[in-house]
């Protein structure tokens, strides 16, 4: 062995300055236990300064040469410097130019990227040179191939000529051919940006060429890059055949733009774009599309949305924090939601919010200024009453905790509600309200006791007379509540498991005197959902136009079973019921009063015995009729990666009864548990596997499928196939059907209609078969 050391051979024998020194005396071992420290020896990257200081090691069976000038090695030659290793039968090295020439079974491993061939010439440090008739393999995506020549421009960039490219694992035998392969006259590799560009390329699948392009770019990892993306294809019942040719522009590490023109056989050309930005303190997204002369409707169609959230830098100290949130949505016409069912970002397809919120906070005080305007997309067969615009809404809050043992808060709000009176059939209004709260919580390890008083004051200024003939109105309502609970614990065991069981009884009393509010129009109030959270609150309504009169007592008890070692909740049982001492007379318009006496009973249960099974259920039971009023039962079975079944049953008497099931499950050996080394996230369960995916929403009351997604995935190892059929209801009797199919060439590109966004949005715990979770280490392919 010969080592060429720029700073002397003594560096090999001396311990690094930050190495841990451990004395071997018994006293020292007891006083100073061994500690692990980070070491720079296994850094993934080597800087230029570090590389220049590294020694060069040369091995060979026979060595001749002149010191500090040149040398010739033959027989099992090895040259090693940092993350570069060269092996060959014969190697000459000229030290002044750092030039190595190798012949015979030449192999280069540069930071995990491997090149092999008969002849190579290389400036080792600069990594400039060429390789003839080379086979190559990249570390980042396991891609490999053959080239007539590889030109190394530097340690990050190379030009591969007359290249083949695939990620299919090489099989033994001279007749082996990959299931997919790209041939290119020139393949430019940029390791710094982790991208590749193929020129005069042809893509073949199962030996059949099916795509030829003059130039195509692709990513060598999950890193983004500018260029044409793979085209997508689709078929649905509204637009016919669709072809989208997206172009991605990586403007900056925190900004990008995607253009996605789509040609629809039944409708014409739709041009869309999406711009995204991400800063340390704020982010946003702008999306839009425009279709001139839509054949379906005979007019131009368009839609746009803009979301932004983050603070505003004022440059002033001591003024507090200022923030801005925007959610703006607008479309061309009322039929947009039906004709572009997947084109919007709003959760309510027919109600599009245009919401701007400016917030300020400093210490105990916060304030917001809001402007909210709705675009309501009307359907003549199913019209809806539009919600009220808030132009503007000004709100402020002051809250202080533990002021001599008291918690106090003061909320104020001024809102101008506006809507088309011909649709709402009531006056628009300027409403002001104030809510003051004072409580004295007493909390200990065994329970809590919290008395609280509230005062609601509201005033209205109408733009037209209300039912009483007045143009204004006001209302003041006091409320008193008392919330108390205890927590008991005991250590026990069930089914051989040690658990801590709790018993948590709770009483909640609230009193609000009756104030007639039937003559007041309703602008934002609704009936609160009846659940384990709302049953312990003072008001049966949300919003500020109705304050329920109450004289009621709520009693409940919950028991939990906690893992004795971790404290994790394994099971939960709960029951709660209200006892109303007086009738509740305040109602929503068209509603009925709540009589005195016992309310429906709430029953809840949750089960989480292990990582596989999760069960959660809530039942609202009417003891008078001895029938359930509403039931929700959800369960999930998740025994491992790529195995999940979600089941939900939702029942509301005289309204709806739905069964919802979603799944992702392998069809090959569906009941077999995989060994621990298989089924890692982002890697699938192995090659030659079929998977079933889907979600079905079935109405038991109507005996029909409401929405459905059913499909299959196939993992061949180096390529994936997906076929998914989706049915989406767009009305009482209308729906849109879509067929999605996709070929994914692992480590290269995807072709077809991308169903992944649909599967992720509809199947909880769905996992993609290929996803790079961590960048591979160069030490995973170390020579």
């Amino acid at each position: 062995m010969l080592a060429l050391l720029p700073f002397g051979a003594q560096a090999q024998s001396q311990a690094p300055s930050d190495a841990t020194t451990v004395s071997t005396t018994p006293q020292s071992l007891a006083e100073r236990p061994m500690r692990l420290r980070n070491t720079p020896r296994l850094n993934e990257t080597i800087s230029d300064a570090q590389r220049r200081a590294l020694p060069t090691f040369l091995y060979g069976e026979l060595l001749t040469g002149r010191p500090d000038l040149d040398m010739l090695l033959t027989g099992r030659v090895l040259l090693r410097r940092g993350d570069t290793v060269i092996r060959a039968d014969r190697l000459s090295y000229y030290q002044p130019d750092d030039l190595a020439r190798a012949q015979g079974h030449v192999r280069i491993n540069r930071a995990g990227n491997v090149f092999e061939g008969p002849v190579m010439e290389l400036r080792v440090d600069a990594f400039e040179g060429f390789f003839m008739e080379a086979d190559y393999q990249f570390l980042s995506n396991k891609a490999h191939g053959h080239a007539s020549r590889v030109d190394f421009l530097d340690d990050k960039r190379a030009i591969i000529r007359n290249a083949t490219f695939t990620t299919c694992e090489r099989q033994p035998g001279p007749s082996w051919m990959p299931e997919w392969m790209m041939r290119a006259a020139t393949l430019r590799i940029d390791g710094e940006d982790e991208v590749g560009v193929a020129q005069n390329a042809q893509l073949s699948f199962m030996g059949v060429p099916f795509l030829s392009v003059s130039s195509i770019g692709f990513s060598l990892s999950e890193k983004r890059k500018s260029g044409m993306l793979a085209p997508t294809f689709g078929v649905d019942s509204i637009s016919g055949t669709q072809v989208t040719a997206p172009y991605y522009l990586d403007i900056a590490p925190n900004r990008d733009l995607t253009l996605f023109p789509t040609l629809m056989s039944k409708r014409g050309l739709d041009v869309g774009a999406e711009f995204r930005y991400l800063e340390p303190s704020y982010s946003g997204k702008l999306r839009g599309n425009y279709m001139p002369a839509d054949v379906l409707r005979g007019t131009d169609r368009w839609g746009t949305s803009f979301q932004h959230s983050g603070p505003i830098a004022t440059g002033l100290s001591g003024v507090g924090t200022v923030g801005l949130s925007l959610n703006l949505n607008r479309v061309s016409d009322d039929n947009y939601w039906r004709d572009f069912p997947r084109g919007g970002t709003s959760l309510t397809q027919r109600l599009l919010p245009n919401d701007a919120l400016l917030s300020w906070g400093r210490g105990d005080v916060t304030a917001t200024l809001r402007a909210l305007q709705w675009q309501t997309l009307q359907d003549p067969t199913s019209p809806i009453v539009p919600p009220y615009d808030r132009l503007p809404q000004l709100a402020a809050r002051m809250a202080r905790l533990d002021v001599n043992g008291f918690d106090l808060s003061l909320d104020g709000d001024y809102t101008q509600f506006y809507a088309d009176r011909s649709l709402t059939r009531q006056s628009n209004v300027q409403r002001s309200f104030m809510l003051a709260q004072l409580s004295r919580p007493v909390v200990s390890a065994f329970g809590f006791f919290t008395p609280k008083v509230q005062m609601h004051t509201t005033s209205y200024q109408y733009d037209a007379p209300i039912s009483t003939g007045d143009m204004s109105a006001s209302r003041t309502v006091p409320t008193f509540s008392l919330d108390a609970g205890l927590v008991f614990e005991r250590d026990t065991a069930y089914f051989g498991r040690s658990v801590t069981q709790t018993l948590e009884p709770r009483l909640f009393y609230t009193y609000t005197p009756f104030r007639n509010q039937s003559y007041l129009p309703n602008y934002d109030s609704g009936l609160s959902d009846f659940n384990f959270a709302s049953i312990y609150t003072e008001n049966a309504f949300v919003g500020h136009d109705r304050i329920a009169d109450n004289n009621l007592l709520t009693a409940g008890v919950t028991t939990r079973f906690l893992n004795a070692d971790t404290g994790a909740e394994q099971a939960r049982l709960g029951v709660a019921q209200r006892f109303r001492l007086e009738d509740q007379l305040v109602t929503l318009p068209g509603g009925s009063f709540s009589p005195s006496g016992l309310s429906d009973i709430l029953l809840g249960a949750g089960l989480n015995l292990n990582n596989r099974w999760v069960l959660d259920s809530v039942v609202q039971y009417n003891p008078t009729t001895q029938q359930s009023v509403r039931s929700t039962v959800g369960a999930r079975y998740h025994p491992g990666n790529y195995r999940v079944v979600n089941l939900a049953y939702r029942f509301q008497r005289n309204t709806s009864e739905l069964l919802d099931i979603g799944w992702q499950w392998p069809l090959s050996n569906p009941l077999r548990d995989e060994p621990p080394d298989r089924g890692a996230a982002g890697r699938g369960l192995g090659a030659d596997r079929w998977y079933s995916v889907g979600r079905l929403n079935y109405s038991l009351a109507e005996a029909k499928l409401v929405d459905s997604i059913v499909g299959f995935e196939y993992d061949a190892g180096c390529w994936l196939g997906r076929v998914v059929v989706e049915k989406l209801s767009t009305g009482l009797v209308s729906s849109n059907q879509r067929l999605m199919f996709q070929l994914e060439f692992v480590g290269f590109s995807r072709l077809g209609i991308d169903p992944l966004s649909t599967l992720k949005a509809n199947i909880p715990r769905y996992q993609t078969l290929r996803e790079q979770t961590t960048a591979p280490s160069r030490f995973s392919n170390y020579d």
Side-chain angles (χ1 to χ4, degrees):
M1 180 193 76
L2 179 66
L4 307 179
L5 301 174
F7 297 106
Q10 69 273 16
Q12 302 302 308
S13 60
Q14 294 178 351
S17 60
D18 63 344
T20 301
T21 303
V22 182
S23 173
T24 59
T25 64
Q27 182 180 4
S28 176
L29 288 173
E31 294 176 354
R32 296 183 57 192
M34 290 188 295
R35 295 176 298 167
L36 294 177
R37 294 186 180 182
N38 290 331
T39 171
R41 293 180 178 177
L42 295 180
N43 285 345
E44 287 293 335
T45 58
I46 301 175
S47 67
D48 292 339
Q50 290 175 320
R51 193 179 301 278
R52 286 192 294 269
L54 291 174
T56 300
F57 295 93
L58 291 167
Y59 298 83
E61 295 178 347
L62 178 64
L63 183 152
T64 60
R66 292 168 290 180
D68 298 327
L69 184 61
D70 61 8
M71 61 192 67
L72 175 65
L73 293 94
T74 57
R76 294 187 298 177
V77 179
L78 183 146
L79 182 150
R80 181 186 300 273
R81 179 185 293 176
D83 58 359
T84 302
V85 177
I86 302 176
R87 299 179 184 271
D89 295 336
R90 173 188 175 93
L91 184 143
S92 64
Y93 180 71
Y94 186 64
Q95 188 172 350
D97 293 340
D98 193 31
L99 179 63
R101 293 187 174 92
Q103 295 176 334
H105 301 96
V106 184
R107 173 186 170 95
I108 299 179
N109 187 328
R110 173 75 172 198
N113 296 317
V114 177
F115 299 85
E116 297 178 304
V119 178
M120 180 275 301
E121 182 176 303
L122 184 72
R123 296 184 186 274
V124 180
D125 228 9
F127 210 75
E128 297 176 358
F130 64 87
F131 218 132
M132 301 301 294
E133 296 298 332
D135 294 319
Y136 65 89
Q137 179 174 328
F138 298 134
L139 174 67
S140 57
N141 61 355
K142 304 299 182 184
H144 60 92
H146 178 79
S148 62
R149 179 184 172 107
V150 178
D151 290 310
F152 301 109
L153 306 182
D154 54 35
D155 63 328
K156 300 294 184 183
R157 281 162 283 273
I159 299 177
I160 305 176
R161 305 182 188 280
N162 299 319
T164 63
F165 181 96
T166 184
T167 57
C168 296
E169 184 177 353
R170 173 85 190 186
Q171 301 298 323
S175 61
W176 175 82
M177 286 292 292
E179 294 177 331
W180 75 268
M181 182 174 63
M182 179 182 67
R183 297 181 183 273
T186 303
L187 184 61
R188 296 180 179 271
I189 300 298
D190 189 332
E192 185 173 18
D193 292 335
E194 298 180 4
V195 297
V197 177
Q199 296 176 326
N200 296 325
Q202 183 183 75
L203 191 63
S204 60
F205 180 60
M206 297 298 180
V208 179
F210 71 96
L211 180 64
S212 297
V213 292
S214 59
S215 178
I216 184 172
F218 57 95
S219 178
L220 299 174
S221 67
E222 297 297 318
K223 192 173 181 179
R224 305 175 305 169
K225 74 169 196 67
S226 297
M228 292 294 299
L229 303 179
T232 63
F233 308 90
V235 178
D236 69 29
S237 58
I238 294 178
S239 304
T241 303
Q242 305 173 54
V243 180
T244 303
Y247 182 86
Y248 179 80
L249 180 61
D250 186 15
I251 301 173
N254 60 336
R255 288 180 173 84
D256 61 15
L257 173 68
T258 304
L259 306 176
F260 39 91
T262 301
L263 183 63
M264 305 179 184
S265 62
K266 292 184 178 181
R267 301 173 59 181
L269 179 65
D270 180 53
V271 181
E274 181 180 85
F275 171 68
R276 302 184 301 178
Y277 56 91
L278 176 64
E279 297 290 346
S281 59
Y282 66 87
S283 61
K285 180 173 69 174
L286 174 64
R287 183 183 178 94
N289 75 296
Y290 176 71
M291 174 177 280
D294 185 358
V295 176
L296 184 65
R297 301 291 177 181
T299 185
D300 295 352
R301 315 291 296 281
W302 55 268
T304 183
S305 66
F306 177 50
Q307 289 80 39
H308 171 89
S309 178
I312 299 176
T314 62
L316 302 175
S317 60
V319 300
T321 303
V322 180
L324 177 65
S325 177
L326 299 173
N327 181 20
L328 310 178
N329 302 271
R330 204 74 182 173
V331 297
S332 56
D333 55 85
D334 286 342
N335 289 308
Y336 187 93
W337 70 278
R338 192 192 309 274
D339 300 339
F340 298 87
R342 303 165 192 87
T345 59
S346 175
L347 295 178
T348 51
Q349 290 181 314
R350 295 176 59 188
L351 295 175
L352 305 182
N354 290 274
D355 195 359
L357 180 69
L358 185 66
S359 61
W360 170 84
R362 181 184 178 186
D364 301 327
V365 182
T366 59
T368 58
L369 176 62
R370 183 186 190 188
L372 172 62
Q373 187 176 45
W374 296 90
Q375 182 183 10
T376 305
L377 308 185
Q378 295 290 3
D379 183 352
T381 63
S382 179
I384 56 178
V385 177
Y388 277 89
D389 298 335
R390 304 185 184 209
L391 300 171
Q393 179 180 17
L394 178 62
R397 174 178 173 83
M398 185 276 292
R400 292 186 178 179
L401 304 179
D402 198 16
V403 181
N404 296 322
F406 289 88
D407 294 346
L408 57 94
S409 65
L410 184 64
D411 294 84
D413 184 287
Y414 166 81
T415 304
Q416 179 168 306
F417 291 95
Y418 178 82
D420 187 346
R421 290 191 302 185
S422 65
L423 296 175
T424 62
R425 302 185 182 279
Q426 64 182 26
S427 305
N428 296 318
V429 72
Q430 298 178 36
R431 187 192 69 187
S432 303
F433 88 87
M434 184 170 290
L435 171 62
Q437 302 183 84
L438 178 67
S439 63
R440 178 63 170 89
V442 179
V443 182
S444 67
F446 60 83
F448 62 92
F449 179 82
T450 306
K452 182 166 67 173
V453 293
Q454 300 176 335
M455 185 66 71
H456 308 257
T457 300
T458 313
S459 66
Y460 299 86
Q461 300 293 327
Y462 302 103
D463 67 350
I466 59 175
S467 60
T468 62
D470 296 324
M471 296 288 292
S472 63
S474 62
R475 176 198 63 191
T476 299
V477 184
T479 296
F480 168 76
S481 66
L482 184 61
D483 195 4
L486 296 173
V487 179
F488 302 97
E489 292 185 359
R490 68 165 184 163
D491 294 329
T492 185
Y494 290 98
F495 306 106
R497 298 185 179 185
S498 297
V499 298
T500 299
Q501 182 183 5
T502 70
L503 186 66
E504 305 168 34
R506 183 176 180 182
L507 291 175
F508 178 79
Y509 173 77
T510 182
Y511 175 76
T512 303
F514 172 74
R515 297 290 187 269
N516 183 22
Q517 302 164 53
S518 60
Y519 64 95
L520 297 175
N522 179 30
Y523 298 96
D524 69 349
S525 284
L527 188 63
S528 180
D529 187 42
F530 191 61
N531 54 43
F532 277 96
S534 64
I535 200 171
Y536 296 105
T537 56
E538 293 85 358
N539 191 11
F541 304 105
V542 295
H544 302 288
D545 292 316
R546 293 293 185 271
I547 306 297
D549 58 310
N550 282 320
N551 186 9
L552 63 84
L553 176 68
T554 301
V557 63
T558 300
T559 182
R560 306 174 196 271
F561 298 87
L562 311 177
N563 185 292
D565 297 324
T566 65
E569 183 180 281
Q570 295 182 330
R572 179 189 72 259
L573 300 172
V575 60
Q577 188 177 29
R578 285 173 172 170
F579 178 66
R580 195 175 296 279
L581 302 174
E582 299 177 3
D583 294 345
Q584 177 191 312
L585 302 178
V586 176
T587 67
L588 293 171
S592 58
F593 76 96
S594 298
S596 61
L598 294 172
S599 71
D600 293 343
I601 301 175
L602 274 181
L603 302 169
L607 187 63
N608 189 12
L609 288 179
N610 51 45
N611 294 330
R612 297 188 172 200
W613 284 100
V614 175
L615 174 68
D616 194 37
S617 62
V618 176
V619 176
Q620 180 181 341
Y621 178 78
N622 188 321
T624 303
T625 62
Q626 297 185 348
Q627 291 179 321
S628 63
V629 177
R630 189 176 59 169
S631 303
T632 301
V633 180
R636 180 176 69 242
Y637 179 57
H638 184 45
N641 287 321
Y642 308 103
R643 282 180 164 90
V644 63
V645 177
N646 305 284
L647 183 65
Y649 171 77
R650 302 178 184 91
F651 168 77
Q652 189 161 356
R653 188 162 299 279
N654 301 325
T655 302
S656 64
E657 187 176 11
L658 296 172
L659 183 64
D660 194 331
I661 180 172
W663 71 92
Q664 179 186 28
W665 203 268
L667 297 178
S668 306
N669 300 313
L671 302 180
R672 187 184 70 183
D673 288 336
E674 297 294 333
D677 60 338
R678 302 195 69 174
R683 292 167 49 190
L685 296 175
D688 197 22
R689 291 285 190 114
W690 283 93
Y691 300 80
S692 174
V693 293
R695 182 170 183 176
L696 303 176
N697 192 319
Y698 184 78
S699 173
L700 296 172
E702 301 174 290
K704 71 172 185 178
L705 275 175
V706 180
D707 295 320
S708 61
I709 298 170
V710 178
F712 297 94
E713 296 181 293
Y714 177 69
D715 185 349
C718 63
W719 64 271
L720 309 172
R722 299 183 179 95
V723 178
V724 177
V725 179
E726 178 187 32
K727 176 186 176 184
L728 181 65
S729 296
T730 57
L732 295 176
V733 295
S734 60
S735 63
N736 179 27
Q737 293 85 34
R738 183 168 63 149
L739 174 64
M740 296 171 280
F741 50 91
Q742 183 184 64
L743 269 178
E744 177 178 346
F745 300 115
V746 175
F748 180 65
S749 185
R750 294 170 178 156
L751 299 176
I753 309 171
D754 186 5
L756 290 177
S757 58
T758 299
L759 297 176
K760 291 178 181 179
N762 288 277
I763 304 176
R765 298 294 182 97
Y766 171 83
Q767 295 177 285
T768 54
L769 297 178
R770 290 295 184 278
E771 187 174 12
Q772 190 177 86
T773 55
T774 58
S777 169
R778 66 183 177 95
F779 298 102
S780 64
N781 191 25
Y782 184 76
D783 273 335

